[in-house]
Amino acid sequence: KKRKRERKRERKRERKKEKRGSFPVQYILVSGLNIVIMSAVKHLTSSSLAEAQSRSIYLYRRFLQLIPTLLDEYNIQCDQHRARMIVRHEFEKNRLLRDTEAVDFLNFKGETELEELEKKWKQRAHILQFLDTTLELDTQDDAVQQFLAGTLEYPTPTQQEQEQYVKSITIPLD
């Protein structure tokens, strides 16, 4: 009876691992005196489109949770709301995708991107390129010269100019 219970528990643990998705597999390579432990991730495919979409939603939430620490640690001067809108726009691009394998592939790519961001393997320039907040300054421009000299005056925008600006920075979600 004890053996039966143990086998049943073991099968239950294996099913839980499969439900979670990816799980690490350890490989030990011995070369000379150096022992190297490598871990590979076994990528499991989703059994249905609903499962793949739920993984996408989970990945999206993890990206949103990472944004505040990401902007703080990389010292990026960007509004959190704007960064969240950009991430949302990236996910919305593939919203209508109905191929399970394609959704799984994009989820895998997203997981690797998230891992690179969490482990700080990406540099600040990579994140700025994604957020598109890099400023291209033309040193011949009078406004740039005035700014660098500290004599630039800021006119107050009219209501119409403010509305126009909001429209220009709004990201369409279609």
Side-chain angles (χ1 to χ4, degrees):
K1 288 184 177 182
K2 287 182 182 180
R3 287 182 185 171
K4 261 188 173 179
R5 278 188 227 141
E6 283 182 32
R7 287 185 204 142
K8 195 174 184 179
R9 286 181 189 156
E10 186 62 35
R11 277 185 262 144
K12 194 174 183 180
R13 280 189 212 119
E14 287 176 12
R15 276 189 248 124
K16 279 186 179 179
K17 281 183 183 178
E18 289 175 7
K19 282 183 181 177
R20 274 190 236 133
S22 304
F23 56 94
V25 179
Q26 297 276 330
Y27 297 98
I28 299 176
L29 301 175
V30 180
S31 63
L33 299 174
N34 300 331
I35 298 176
V36 180
I37 299 177
M38 297 173 50
S39 77
V41 174
K42 183 178 178 185
H43 178 70
L44 299 176
T45 57
S46 302
S47 59
S48 67
L49 181 62
E51 183 183 346
Q53 288 174 338
S54 68
R55 286 185 185 182
S56 297
I57 291 169
Y58 179 65
L59 179 66
Y60 172 69
R61 288 180 180 160
R62 288 178 40 209
F63 264 107
L64 292 184
Q65 290 171 354
L66 184 67
I67 286 176
T69 56
L70 185 73
L71 296 177
D72 185 46
E73 289 175 356
Y74 283 96
N75 195 21
I76 296 173
Q77 302 299 323
C78 179
D79 185 27
Q80 283 186 22
H81 178 70
R82 182 171 186 270
R84 288 172 197 243
M85 290 299 291
I86 292 170
V87 169
R88 180 179 177 151
H89 180 68
E90 288 296 315
F91 275 85
E92 288 282 334
K93 276 194 223 175
N94 302 307
R95 180 181 177 196
L96 300 176
L97 200 59
R98 296 289 176 236
D99 183 17
T100 308
E101 290 179 13
V103 175
D104 280 338
F105 176 73
L106 291 174
N107 282 341
F108 178 73
K109 281 180 63 177
E111 289 283 342
T112 55
E113 288 288 323
L114 186 70
E115 181 184 10
E116 289 174 5
L117 289 170
E118 288 174 339
K119 294 187 178 184
K120 297 180 187 65
W121 292 343
K122 286 189 176 271
Q123 294 182 7
R124 187 173 189 265
H126 299 135
I127 299 166
L128 286 174
Q129 184 179 9
F130 176 72
L131 295 175
D132 198 24
T133 58
T134 54
L135 299 174
E136 296 177 11
L137 296 177
D138 183 11
T139 54
Q140 305 301 321
D141 190 11
D142 289 336
V144 173
Q145 293 298 330
Q146 290 176 356
F147 173 76
L148 294 174
T151 59
L152 182 64
E153 293 182 17
Y154 299 99
T156 41
T158 63
Q159 181 70 25
Q160 183 183 9
E161 290 173 335
Q162 287 177 357
E163 291 172 2
Q164 220 173 6
Y165 174 71
V166 169
K167 286 179 184 176
S168 70
I169 63 169
T170 304
I171 300 172
L173 298 177
D174 26 290

